[in-house]
Amino acid sequence: MTNSTAQALIWTGNSLDVLDQRQLPEITRYDSYTDAEGVAEAIKSMRVRGAPAIGIAAAYGVVLSVQQHFSDSVNWHNSVFADIETLAQSRPTAVNLFWALDKMKAVLAQTHENIVDAVTECAVTIHADDLAANQKMGDFGATLLVGTKGVMTHCNTGSLATGGYGTALGVIRSAVAQNQHLKIFAGETRPWLQGARLTVWELAQDGISSTLIADSAAAWLMKSGAIDWVIVGADRIAANGDTANKIGTYSLATLAKQHGVKFMVVAPTSTIDWSLENGDNIQIECREPRELLPACYDVPNSLVSAWNPVFDVTPAALISAIVTENGIVLNPSEHANGIRSLQK
Ligand code: MRU
């Protein structure tokens, strides 16, 4: 197994150091946060991204809140719950955020002594468990890649987006570590360019070569026969396997079907929202038009606006495999129970 060098989040015991991913690949800079509000802002402003990494950051945000507010009086609870609400409002689509906050809330509800230690232990465990899940998924997913010549990935799903190693990128890392000679293509991932600025950078940091393509080159790449699999992560997966992920994922899955390319989703079970039967009710984050618009149109009474959804939902019927730390479900739409076999 190759190690991954990039680290999005460093917990120091009394602060969370967050790698400002907006500055990569030119600048590697960590900002230090000592309160939950700061962590919520780091999530909202895309300093930290990727569903599992967002959940882990939020968990540490709760620890910082408890460290700041805990006292013998009952009122500290109100301050911590206000901070939890602020963290919950930071981004809507990745369910890992709400999953992690629910875990922290459960610890707060059940613990009556040594509260700071108890919440710290929970956050550190969420972080460590995610890394372990990624390493398992890497090994599971790599078994599907035997004999594969080339893969394409979308967005960033590596160490920076997770507790370490990565989901989809973890599968690619594991396959490379097993000496599978894979050609790796990464889509740019407009508008935030996670593929161009993060994925290929992460791979290069670990000595793995990759080829960047414009998002709009994907169909032509598939037509060329260079890839056998598209491999992506997820921000929220419904119980039937419908998968919300970075905008453009649905296009890739549709193109993959057209070209006979297989489509793999890799995510820890913390990304599965068992309360949703299907993907129809997944809230899709729509970000500011100015993230897309050339500045000259971002003016009052402009005739040009922009629609900027940053995720989409891929129907389970377009997915060949969903890989989690609990195992693999092939062709999820063909199972009456969807992906419920992964629920442990
Ligand atoms: O907007 P982002 O950068 O947070 O979106 C990230 C993604 O969509 C990833 O593909 C997803 O979180 C899976 S990461 C392991």
Side-chain angles (χ1 to χ4, degrees):
M1 185 175 291
T2 50
N3 279 325
S4 48
T5 41
Q7 238 184 311
L9 302 168
I10 300 173
W11 174 245
T12 69
N14 50 22
S15 67
L16 181 64
D17 294 348
V18 175
L19 177 60
D20 186 350
Q21 298 187 25
R22 303 170 315 174
Q23 314 280 339
L24 290 171
E26 290 88 3
I27 298 168
T28 305
R29 192 190 80 196
Y30 284 85
D31 295 321
S32 192
Y33 294 93
T34 52
D35 60 27
E37 255 179 48
V39 174
E41 181 52 30
I43 296 171
K44 200 176 195 143
S45 59
M46 310 278 279
R47 286 173 171 82
V48 56
R49 344 190 166 150
I54 290 171
I56 295 162
Y60 285 126
V62 176
V63 179
L64 292 171
S65 177
V66 175
Q67 286 181 343
Q68 183 183 1
H69 298 297
F70 178 68
S71 68
D72 289 337
S73 87
V74 283
N75 288 337
W76 68 269
H77 242 139
N78 296 342
S79 306
V80 170
F81 275 85
D83 279 345
I84 289 175
E85 187 50 31
T86 303
L87 287 160
Q89 295 297 326
S90 58
R91 293 191 73 189
T93 304
V95 77
N96 309 61
L97 170 68
F98 308 99
W99 172 88
L101 291 176
D102 282 348
K103 278 196 162 280
M104 300 304 284
K105 282 194 262 188
V107 172
L108 285 168
Q110 289 154 15
T111 312
H112 304 290
E113 280 174 11
N114 300 327
I115 305 238
V116 175
D117 290 350
V119 288
T120 305
E121 189 188 325
C122 184
V124 169
T125 303
I126 287 172
H127 195 166
D129 285 354
D130 189 65
L131 173 60
N134 289 336
Q135 288 167 336
K136 266 194 178 171
M137 292 188 291
D139 291 341
F140 286 151
T143 63
L144 299 175
L145 296 187
V146 174
T148 293
K149 299 179 302 292
V151 298
M152 178 184 172
T153 189
H154 186 55
C155 197
N156 180 47
T157 62
S159 295
L160 294 174
T162 63
Y165 201 64
T167 56
L169 215 58
V171 168
I172 292 170
R173 281 189 215 280
S174 291
V176 170
Q178 292 166 8
N179 290 322
Q180 294 189 36
H181 296 290
L182 283 184
K183 186 109 171 106
I184 304 163
F185 294 90
E188 274 183 309
T189 321
R190 285 189 175 268
W192 276 80
L193 297 174
Q194 287 91 336
R197 302 186 73 92
L198 307 178
T199 300
V200 293
W201 177 81
E202 265 201 44
L203 288 170
Q205 293 288 301
D206 290 348
I208 301 171
S209 57
S210 60
T211 303
L212 187 64
I213 63 164
D215 295 326
S216 47
W220 200 236
L221 174 72
M222 292 186 203
K223 171 89 175 153
S224 77
I227 61 166
D228 311 286
W229 283 92
V230 174
I231 313 178
V232 298
D235 290 85
R236 194 183 290 235
I237 305 176
N240 73 339
D242 289 353
T243 294
N245 191 49
K246 181 51 56 193
I247 191 76
T249 302
Y250 178 31
S251 310
L252 290 174
T254 307
L255 291 172
K257 187 66 126 195
Q258 164 74 13
H259 293 92
V261 168
K262 285 170 281 187
F263 195 88
M264 189 192 307
V265 172
V266 188
T269 49
S270 54
T271 305
I272 303 175
D273 186 343
W274 298 112
S275 75
L276 295 179
E277 280 308 312
N278 58 51
D280 292 352
N281 290 323
I282 297 178
Q283 191 186 337
I284 297 297
E285 179 181 10
C286 229
R287 291 185 69 91
E288 298 266 330
R290 75 179 138 76
E291 291 180 357
L292 273 185
L293 276 178
C296 62
Y297 298 126
D298 187 19
V299 290
N301 306 318
S302 173
L303 292 176
V304 183
S305 62
W307 179 54
N308 190 17
V310 295
F311 299 100
D312 56 27
V313 178
T314 297
L318 296 178
I319 298 171
S320 319
I322 295 184
V323 178
T324 72
E325 77 279 18
N326 287 346
I328 301 176
V329 172
L330 296 175
N331 305 313
S333 66
E334 293 174 10
H335 301 270
N337 276 338
I339 58 170
R340 292 231 181 245
S341 61
L342 298 169
Q343 198 169 17
K344 291 224 167 121

